[in-house]
Amino acid sequence: EVQLVESGGGLVQAGGSLRLSCAASGFTFDDYVIGWFRQAPGKEREGVSCSSSSDRSTYYADSVKGRFTISSDNAKNTVYLQMNSLKHEDTAIYYCAATPHLPGVWHRTSGYDFWGQGTQVTVSS
């Protein structure tokens, strides 16, 4: 069974940092595209970042460029999202997602087949 499990969320002050982890199982990890999404109350789920190991490419939403970094450890079947200089508007539930092929639009929610349960990130103002 394909499973994605996020961890690392929590409460942090503005300007602080968090590192999220997404542990994957049930599929060949390095053959998949892994994306990070987030959803704040009353807002649509939006793409934050994604990584394609096969294509050796990464993508970031404009709102997080220069602050967030996606990385992976294929031996551990884990993808990380390092979040620095956090802002109050980064507050959301963060999800990781996987798809075997990079979508035409990388941040399109419907382009991903598997999803984790989410982890809450709260940034105090």
Side-chain angles (χ1 to χ4, degrees):
E1 179 182 351
V2 173
Q3 289 188 339
L4 299 169
V5 180
E6 303 96 333
S7 62
L11 175 64
V12 65
Q13 291 184 322
S17 299
L18 286 173
R19 181 190 295 172
L20 305 183
S21 299
C22 174
S25 62
F27 61 95
T28 305
F29 183 79
D30 59 358
D31 288 341
Y32 277 68
V33 175
I34 307 297
W36 284 99
F37 294 77
R38 66 186 182 187
Q39 187 166 21
K43 296 184 178 180
E44 296 181 348
R45 190 170 298 185
E46 63 176 350
V48 177
S49 180
C50 83
S51 176
S52 175
S53 295
S54 60
D55 294 341
R56 294 176 48 174
S57 58
T58 58
Y59 303 87
Y60 297 92
D62 289 341
S63 59
V64 306
K65 286 181 179 178
R67 300 188 297 120
F68 291 10
T69 303
I70 190 169
S71 62
S72 62
D73 185 338
N74 290 341
K76 297 181 178 180
N77 283 2
T78 300
V79 171
Y80 305 95
L81 185 68
Q82 179 67 46
M83 306 186 296
N84 298 326
S85 301
L86 283 162
K87 305 174 181 179
H88 178 65
E89 49 264 44
D90 295 319
T91 296
I93 300 174
Y94 283 71
Y95 302 86
C96 65
T99 181
H101 305 289
L102 183 68
V105 180
W106 70 264
H107 52 76
R108 188 175 66 188
T109 304
S110 61
Y112 292 79
D113 301 297
F114 310 108
W115 293 82
Q117 84 289 346
T119 185
Q120 178 71 50
V121 172
T122 303
V123 184
S124 61
S125 59

